Structures are given as structure tokens and as C-alpha cells.
Amino acid sequence: MKRAKITASALVLALLMALSVLLAACGKTGDDSGNNNGGGTTEPDAPTHLFEIDVAQAPNLTYKSSEDTYVDASVMTDELIIVYDAQKTVAAEVAEGNVTLSAGTSETANGKKTDTYTVTATGTGAYTLNFNSGEEKVETFTSDVAAVYPADPDFPMLSRSAMNVSDIGYVHDPVVVEADGKYYEFNTDNAGGDYGYQVRVSDDLIHWTKLADPAIKNCGKNDSDAKSVYESGKGGLQEVYDILKGDGNWNNSCWTLWAPEVTQAADGGWWLYGSWTTAFGSSHSVIFQCYSKEITGPYEFKDIIVYSYDGGGIWPNAIDASIYYDTDGRMYMAYGSFSGGIYSIELDPQTGLRKDGLRGNDLLKGSSKTQAERYGVSLVPNGYMEGPVISYHENVPVYTGDPKSYNAESYEYKDQYYLMGSSNSLSSDYNMRSYVSASPTGGFSSLTGTGDNSGNRVSGSFTWRTSDTDRSPSYEFFAPGHNDMITTSTGKNLIAYHNRTTFGGGNHFLFVSQYTFNSRGDIVMSPNRYAGETVRKVTEDEVLRISAGKYAYAAITNNRYDSTYNGGYAKEDMVLAENNVLKIGNTAVGSWYLYGDNYIYIEITGGDAALQGKYYGAVMPAYIESQGEGGLTVSCLSENGKNTLYLNSLV
């Protein structure tokens, strides 16, 4: 694909870099802003009178070792594009790090100058570029060169029988926030700690440390302790408890807090949005807001946002809050769990409370406000969906040509809001789904059309083990879901979700996987745990030779693992052969085509009828745990959005 347009992940980084440069030009230093921090650095002594430089495209660089002879050198090279005042002159240079820089084209239009540079990696690690105007340094740009394939990340060890891994165990409904150069994870109250939301911290999104104190104090250590604390009137969320206690549906069965969300407040502190319900499975629930100066807490109650007391039906269940913003900076909260589906309420970005001004008695029983006023707008009227999260991606490339006859000019570029949620039973057939819209407040659709399980299938239950006696890896992906979507300051798109390690049950663990887009602009997720890899250009020679074209594969064709393809187990006889031939064993069953930077199209016309169809996906580097080394993974969505097909390279 000709990179006249910027990919979604790179654009996020570019916009953040531009913001960092603009703040520097205004004499301000960058600050942490939640999920998406600026990727560049601002020098403490940066001049305040110089002009703005917009990093319109940030390079995405990886470096291959000498033994990776099948990896084309093009994966080490990418373009840097900067835009600035046409009356100025800027020169870029390497300040430090393993890259080289060469100037390319320079164009002037509409009072702006656009300079293109070629950046080539000569090794891995951090690097810094300086932008100079005359003898003065205007700004710096800092990023990293990743390895072509991730090395062994020393994952926390899991097993089918492991019920508690302190760093990632007992995690349900995770949300991840980037701040202060670290990542913070909050999750539903679950076994293994005080109530009030567990907090974890990580430097790399792989290894996590659970903090001793919960985010909200005085919520109880267990059910009986929580009951005692709140009945004495001393609970950390006493106001919320009092509302639920008087609801008429409270039955002392649910003392835990559900599905937190954390986002930066207007004053630089942090807002935590949480939910509490009258009973497990009840639709009588409250979403509340708390505040803390520090991201780790302690958070103190401020107000309630929505209270669902209408008994479900077409109306939502007020849990599972998720904050998102539109391109004009308007703030919204998506929420909902089954019942009437997913809804959205606009918030005031200065206070984090409702934009419509509804407070107190407006939201309680006896209010004169209508349900429509109290609940906001419906996004997905699907009673089988919960745990919404919405992420905006700009300039997503959508290929309009024939994958079998690639035309680099056949692209449209779309600005889109992606909504993900989870469907079905948490204990048996939970699975992640996605929708897309050009609007933040409506029009969300998928390839599957309407129905109980509408939404493109991002993932469901499967395993890379080939049978019940196979122990590599030592766990399954069972009932994965209730995810968060994170775009890091380095432009990586990641999904954090809970996952059970054994078919049929087991505790929830924190998993993180990378996601990207196929050529139709659909979300596709790596079917492996994140190991620090970078989505990059992939060549056909690499696909053919990294494992002699041999791949393990798993297809998710049903919500229940035991009803899906091959009972959820993987097979290891797929071959991506030369001349675009796709084989199962020695039998040709279809074709495959690599196009653009890393798009793949697979068409299966023969062999097992359950696999037959057209699939659109992406090829990504990954650490393949069953192989014990880095390789390639393929994630595909079927043409109708109902099935996923995953491949992992074999050695």
C-alpha cells in the first residue's frame, strides 16, 4: 500500500507528537493524559518563541538480525513526514540511537511545507531525532526500534489448574491506563484482595505488580466485613449503598463493585467511574464517579451518573462504564450490560459529570425525568451484549480493489469509532464482538447484520493445544472478554481482557493482545499474548519461509468451544504454499494472497465444509508460546463477520 495516508495506530502517535510540539512552542511541558500520552519528549530549556512542527507521519521501524535472511530489508525502513510554516526552514538529524536519516521530497502548499525523510533502523532500542531551524533546536522526536520478532518475554506462567497467579490472577473486567511512563490496571472486585477495585502497575504490559491498597478505601475485605462497614454508615461509597439499599431489590448478595473505568480529570487528577448493583444479574444498578489526585487513589465519591431502576426491558443496566471522546473533545460515557443493550450519556469534560445537568433527585426513584432523559441514547439495542468500550481511529485504510490483483491506489480512508463488547454467558460461551460507526453516538453496525449475536467476532474460545493431552501451551483461551482498548504513547493498539485458562471454568486472568485492521477496516486481534511486538510490513518471502509455509490454525465458528471447529482445538497441517496455493496437508483447498503492508486474503473452497469461505485478515509478528520463539501470526475475519480464523507459524 502506498503510504500517502497514515495508518490508524501511526496517526495516533503523530497527533500526540504534534500536540507535544505545540505545547513546547507555547512554553508548556507535556503531561500525562491517560490512555494516550505524547510519544515525544520536550526539553526543559526548549525555546518558547519558535514555531509548530506537525509530525504528520511517524516511522514504524523494526530491525532484523543477520540470521533472518527471509526478512526483507524494507521492514527496517519507513518514512518520517513533518509539516510546518512554509516561511521557515527545518532540518532533521539523528541525535542518538540506531537509525540513519536521509532527506527526501519537500513540497509547499497553502502556506505549509511538507518534508519527507527516510529513516532506517541499524539496531534496536530508543532513538531521538532533532528538528533544527538554523542553529536553534525546535523540538525532538523520540521513539523505539523493535525487533522483527519478539524475544522470550518471560510470561507469567499459567496452567489449566492454576487458580491464583498474584500478578495477573483474579482479574475480571480490566481497564488499563497509561500514565507517568507506566501502565495501571483496575478491575472488578474479585477474590484475592480487599473490595474497592484492585490496582496493578506494569512497565511493559506483560509483567504486573498488584498494589497493596485498593483504589477506594473502606469497602470491606469480604462480604461479611463489607456488610458490617456499610451498615455502620462508614463505607467508602455510603451514598451509593444507601440508594441500592432502598431500591427494593437489595438482597445482601452483591457487595462487590463492578467494571471500573479510569480517565484523567480536567485538573490533572483522575476520575474513576464504577458500578454497584442490588444483586448479581439484577438490572437495578448505579454508576458513580470518584476522584483522586493520584491515579492509584485513594478515590473519593463525588456523585452518581445514572441509576437504572426500571427493571430492564428496553432500558439499560447501569454498569460497565467506559469513557470516550469525539474529535471536538466532547466527552461521553458508554455503558450497559445485557438488559436493554448499550447506551451513551454525554458528560461535561470539565467536571466529568452529566452534560445535561441531571443531578441528585433527577436520577432517583420518583424523578419527573423520563427514561430517555435519564439513560441517554441507545448505541446497540442488543440484550446479549455488555462491557462496551469505544476507540476512535482516524484515516483507517479500506482497500476497495481485488485482493487477488492488488492495486496500491485502490484505497479509501475512513475516520471511525470502533465499539467492542462481549456477548453470552460468562461461564460458558462469552466472546468479544465489534461494531463500527462514523458517529460517536449512533449508527454502529457490523457485517453480521442484526440479531442476538450481531457484531463482528473478534475472538471466542479456542486453544493452541491440539488435543486434551497436548500441554503446549498449558492453557486455553476460554470465555475471553469484557475488554479495554488501549492505544499506547508509542502507537500500539492493544486489547486487555479477562480470560479463563481451562475449558469449562477456572479463574479469570489478565490477558493483553495486539490488534490491528484488515483491508476492509475490521478489527482483527492477535491470538497470542502480547510480548512487545510491533505491527509492521510483512513480505511474501517471509510468510513462505519462516516456517516453510507451515502453520497451526484454529477456527472459531460457534460461541461454545465444544461446538466450534474441531472442538476448539488447533490443527497443524495448513500450508501457505508458493503461487498463492493454500493446502491442508498435501491437498490444495484454496488460495491466499498477501497485499498492502500486511493484509492477507484467504479463500477456502475445498476440504472441510466448516472452514470454507472467504477471510480477510492481517499478518503480525508474535511470540508463539507453543513454539517457544517469535514468529508470525495471522488473524482473519470471515466475509460475513461471523467466524474467525487464526494461524500461528510452526517450526
Side-chain angles (χ1 to χ4, degrees):
M1 175 180 64
K2 183 179 180 181
R3 299 183 66 164
K5 296 283 186 176
I6 188 170
T7 62
S9 59
L11 180 70
V12 172
L13 178 58
L15 291 175
L16 294 167
M17 283 303 306
L19 177 61
S20 174
V21 174
L22 179 59
L23 290 173
C26 296
K28 300 177 181 179
T29 58
D31 62 0
D32 296 307
S33 56
N35 285 1
N36 297 328
N37 294 344
T41 58
T42 302
E43 297 293 325
D45 59 350
T48 61
H49 63 281
L50 296 180
F51 52 92
E52 174 188 352
I53 296 177
D54 174 15
V55 180
Q57 179 171 303
N60 181 10
L61 298 175
T62 56
Y63 181 74
K64 71 181 184 68
S65 59
S66 58
E67 61 266 22
D68 297 327
T69 57
Y70 42 78
V71 178
D72 192 287
S74 64
V75 305
M76 298 188 293
T77 300
D78 203 0
E79 290 183 340
L80 165 72
I81 302 176
I82 60 174
V83 181
Y84 54 94
D85 188 335
Q87 298 181 1
K88 306 296 182 179
T89 300
V90 172
E93 65 176 11
V94 178
E96 60 181 345
N98 297 316
V99 298
T100 61
L101 185 69
S102 61
T105 61
S106 182
E107 301 175 354
T108 301
N110 301 318
K112 294 290 185 179
K113 188 179 292 185
T114 301
D115 292 346
T116 300
Y117 292 85
T118 298
V119 187
T120 301
T122 59
T124 59
Y127 67 93
T128 299
L129 306 178
N130 287 345
F131 301 136
N132 304 317
S133 181
E135 296 182 355
E136 295 183 284
K137 180 170 63 178
V138 180
E139 189 50 78
T140 64
F141 170 83
T142 299
S143 190
D144 292 286
V145 179
V148 165
Y149 300 114
D152 185 350
D154 189 26
F155 283 129
M157 294 302 295
L158 299 175
S159 72
R160 300 175 71 201
S161 60
M163 293 295 105
N164 182 21
V165 177
S166 60
D167 49 4
I168 62 171
Y170 293 120
V171 172
H172 189 196
D173 310 335
V175 61
V176 174
V177 182
E178 182 178 354
D180 307 322
K182 297 182 181 294
Y183 302 95
Y184 297 87
E185 185 272 337
F186 302 77
N187 58 268
T188 284
D189 287 346
N190 223 347
D194 294 350
Y195 293 159
Y197 295 129
Q198 299 174 15
V199 185
R200 288 170 173 78
V201 63
S202 174
D203 293 320
D204 57 8
L205 291 159
I206 301 169
H207 306 96
W208 297 85
T209 300
K210 181 176 176 293
L211 303 186
D213 296 325
I216 304 173
K217 292 183 177 180
N218 300 323
C219 290
K221 298 182 180 301
N222 49 51
D223 283 5
S224 61
D225 184 48
K227 185 174 186 293
S228 175
V229 168
Y230 280 101
E231 287 185 346
S232 69
K234 299 178 181 179
L237 295 168
Q238 192 66 41
E239 297 89 340
V240 180
Y241 168 77
D242 291 342
I243 293 172
L244 296 174
K245 180 72 172 180
D247 180 272
N249 291 272
W250 179 261
N251 65 2
N252 290 319
S253 67
C254 187
W255 295 98
T256 57
L257 307 177
W258 296 96
E261 166 70 307
V262 175
T263 192
Q264 190 156 43
D267 66 356
W270 298 90
W271 290 317
L272 182 152
Y273 297 83
S275 48
W276 199 353
T277 187
T278 57
F280 184 84
S282 169
S283 59
H284 291 246
S285 311
V286 170
I287 292 176
F288 54 86
Q289 184 212 59
C290 296
Y291 174 83
S292 172
K293 290 184 178 180
E294 304 296 331
I295 189 170
T296 55
Y299 286 83
E300 296 184 356
F301 173 79
K302 292 298 180 182
D303 210 337
I304 70 169
I305 305 297
V306 61
Y307 172 26
S308 56
Y309 55 81
D310 293 293
I314 65 172
W315 304 113
N317 183 12
I319 67 172
D320 298 355
S322 182
I323 302 300
Y324 65 104
Y325 298 82
D326 70 9
T327 55
D328 295 322
R330 296 173 70 173
M331 182 181 184
Y332 300 91
M333 181 188 78
Y335 71 100
S337 175
F338 305 118
S339 190
I342 307 304
Y343 275 65
S344 178
I345 295 172
E346 185 173 358
L347 305 181
D348 181 347
Q350 295 304 309
T351 65
L353 301 176
R354 296 178 66 120
K355 181 73 171 179
D356 57 20
L358 296 188
R359 304 284 189 275
N361 291 335
D362 293 331
L363 302 174
L364 302 181
K365 285 188 174 182
S367 169
S368 62
K369 302 299 180 180
T370 66
Q371 289 98 331
E373 289 175 313
R374 289 186 283 112
Y375 292 133
V377 299
S378 173
L379 299 183
V380 180
N382 182 340
Y384 290 81
M385 180 70 63
E386 70 168 358
V389 58
I390 295 176
S391 182
Y392 176 73
H393 288 273
E394 190 170 5
N395 245 12
V396 178
V398 176
Y399 181 62
T400 59
D402 182 357
K404 298 180 180 181
S405 181
Y406 181 65
N407 180 354
E409 302 300 322
S410 297
Y411 280 93
E412 296 177 353
Y413 296 86
K414 297 185 177 182
D415 303 339
Q416 302 192 127
Y417 295 86
Y418 289 86
L419 185 157
M420 284 191 67
S422 298
S423 289
N424 298 96
S425 170
L426 184 66
S427 62
S428 61
D429 52 4
Y430 213 50
N431 63 105
M432 290 184 278
R433 301 277 174 161
S434 72
Y435 301 78
V436 67
S437 175
S439 166
T441 56
F444 285 92
S445 63
S446 70
L447 298 169
T448 63
T450 59
D452 290 346
N453 286 314
S454 60
N456 298 334
R457 185 190 299 279
V458 178
S459 186
S461 296
F462 74 99
T463 180
W464 286 114
R465 300 188 305 114
T466 57
S467 69
D468 189 56
T469 58
D470 182 5
R471 288 294 181 265
S472 182
S474 59
Y475 63 89
E476 282 84 38
F477 291 86
F478 178 67
H482 201 121
N483 66 285
D484 191 15
M485 302 173 73
I486 313 108
T487 296
T488 71
S489 59
T490 56
K492 293 186 179 182
N493 295 320
L494 301 168
I495 293 175
Y497 55 103
H498 64 233
N499 182 73
R500 297 186 176 193
T501 57
T502 178
F503 282 153
N507 179 46
H508 291 100
F509 291 83
L510 172 62
F511 273 45
V512 178
S513 296
Q514 196 157 26
Y515 76 91
T516 187
F517 305 92
N518 65 16
S519 66
R520 297 188 302 177
D522 308 316
I523 288 177
V524 288
M525 185 182 88
S526 171
N528 301 277
R529 290 198 278 177
Y530 172 70
E533 65 271 15
T534 297
V535 174
R536 59 167 172 81
K537 178 179 179 179
V538 176
T539 66
E540 185 169 310
D541 193 45
E542 184 180 0
V543 173
L544 288 168
R545 294 181 59 194
I546 186 173
S547 57
K550 297 178 181 178
Y551 290 81
Y553 61 100
I556 304 174
T557 56
N558 192 284
N559 292 334
R560 293 188 61 88
Y561 81 90
D562 51 1
S563 299
T564 197
Y565 183 77
N566 197 38
Y569 293 98
K571 292 189 174 183
E572 295 185 336
D573 56 353
M574 184 171 285
V575 181
L576 303 183
E578 294 184 352
N579 301 316
N580 306 111
V581 175
L582 178 73
K583 296 181 179 180
I584 300 292
N586 295 320
T587 303
V589 297
S591 57
W592 68 279
Y593 295 85
L594 187 72
Y595 55 108
D597 280 353
N598 68 333
Y599 299 139
I600 192 168
Y601 171 74
I602 294 176
E603 185 171 342
I604 303 177
T605 56
D608 196 328
L611 281 181
Q612 292 179 14
K614 299 176 180 179
Y615 299 86
Y616 296 81
V619 186
M620 298 171 272
Y623 186 78
I624 313 298
E625 289 187 70
S626 60
Q627 301 296 303
E629 62 182 79
L632 292 178
T633 192
V634 178
S635 181
C636 294
L637 181 67
S638 64
E639 186 176 36
N640 62 8
K642 294 182 178 181
N643 303 319
T644 54
L645 176 64
Y646 294 143
L647 282 69
N648 270 348
S649 57
L650 294 168
V651 175

